[in-house]
């Protein structure tokens, strides 16, 4: 019989219109057992679950998905939030960076509803196309050497991403006028 059932995470966000295999996140001990696991949803109008733990999100809301071993009665629960899927990402910030300096980009995922942009709470991940020119961590981009790199903001587990090209330049260290005196005439 099953002695332990445990989800790798007790909270999960899924999107309306996209199935999610919650069963793959369930750790079962012992591994070689013959117990049947029954899956249930606290609200099938928000999210259905099949006999293998695959979720079908139906509408936005929150549900509890429970896996129960028939033989031992052991169970595990996962709190599932069903959200509207993001449609894109917006990145805000300047794309020219002085060498050895940093800038922080702000980014958010969104979907459109009734002609309005609605920000989501999706976690944005970041990557640089050329870390010898610019590195990025949590939106903070640091110029490493003069050149160009593409910074990509993305949502893990989806194909949603947005890129911004950054240019790392040598900082200006001084300014000099060719003449220290200049005559300027009114009206010219």
């Amino acid at each position: 019989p099953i002695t332990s059932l445990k989800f790798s995470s007790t909270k999960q966000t899924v999107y309306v219109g996209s199935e999610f295999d919650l069963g793959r996140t369930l750790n079962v001990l012992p591994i070689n057992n013959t117990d049947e696991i029954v899956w249930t949803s606290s609200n099938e109008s928000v999210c259905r679950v099949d006999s293998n733990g695959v979720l079908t999100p139906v509408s936005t809301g929150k549900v509890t998905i429970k896996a129960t071993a028939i033989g031992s009665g052991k169970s595990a629960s996962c709190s599932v939030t069903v959200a509207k899927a993001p449609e894109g990402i917006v990145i805000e910030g300047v794309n020219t960076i002085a060498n050895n300096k940093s800038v922080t980009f702000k980014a958010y995922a969104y979907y459109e509803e009734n002609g309005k942009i609605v920000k989501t709470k999706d976690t944005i991940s970041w990557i640089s196309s050329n870390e010898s020119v610019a590195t990025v961590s949590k939106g903070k981009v640091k110029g490493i050497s003069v050149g160009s790199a593409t910074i990509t903001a993305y949502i893990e587990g989806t194909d949603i991403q947005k890129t911004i090209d950054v240019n790392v330049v040598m900082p200006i260290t001084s300014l000099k006028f060719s003449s220290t005196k200049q005559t300027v005439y009114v009206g010219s």
Side-chain angles (χ1 to χ4, degrees):
I2 291 174
T3 58
S4 174
L5 286 177
K6 187 176 183 182
F7 286 103
S8 56
S9 174
T10 58
K11 292 181 180 181
Q12 187 67 51
T13 298
V14 296
Y15 301 108
V16 174
S18 298
E19 287 188 343
F20 181 81
D21 187 357
L22 189 64
R24 70 178 168 78
T25 72
L26 183 66
N27 300 308
V28 180
L29 293 177
I31 295 171
N32 298 324
N33 68 75
T34 57
D35 279 1
E36 179 183 356
I37 297 175
V38 175
W39 294 85
T40 56
S41 169
S42 63
N43 187 345
E44 295 217 343
S45 67
V46 173
C47 188
R48 294 190 304 266
V49 60
D50 72 10
S51 61
N52 296 311
V54 176
L55 305 181
T56 303
V58 179
S59 63
T60 59
K62 293 188 180 205
V63 295
T64 300
I65 302 296
K66 188 173 182 180
T68 305
I70 296 297
S72 67
K74 298 285 184 186
S75 66
S77 295
C78 183
S79 176
V80 175
T81 300
V82 179
K84 186 163 182 173
E87 298 170 3
I89 295 174
V90 171
I91 300 176
E92 299 170 344
V94 295
N95 66 342
T96 300
I97 305 165
N99 194 29
N100 292 318
K101 298 292 182 186
S102 298
V103 298
T104 300
F105 288 120
K106 292 182 181 177
Y108 60 87
Y110 70 91
Y111 62 87
E112 273 191 63
E113 189 169 75
N114 301 323
K116 295 182 180 177
I117 297 291
V118 179
K119 292 181 182 180
T120 72
K121 295 181 180 180
D122 292 278
T123 301
I124 305 292
S125 297
W126 300 85
I127 192 167
S128 171
S129 68
N130 189 346
E131 291 197 342
S132 65
V133 172
T135 60
V136 61
S137 176
K138 297 180 182 176
K140 186 175 183 178
V141 180
K142 181 175 183 184
I144 303 298
S145 65
V146 174
S148 298
T150 300
I151 302 299
T152 303
Y154 64 97
I155 301 171
E156 287 194 42
T158 74
D159 59 356
I160 297 170
Q161 65 179 24
K162 179 75 173 179
T163 61
I164 187 167
D165 293 326
V166 296
N167 297 308
V168 178
V169 297
M170 286 302 294
I172 296 172
T173 56
S174 68
L175 289 174
K176 289 186 179 181
F177 290 103
S178 58
S179 173
T180 58
K181 294 182 179 181
Q182 188 68 37
T183 304
V184 179
Y185 298 99
V186 176
S188 62

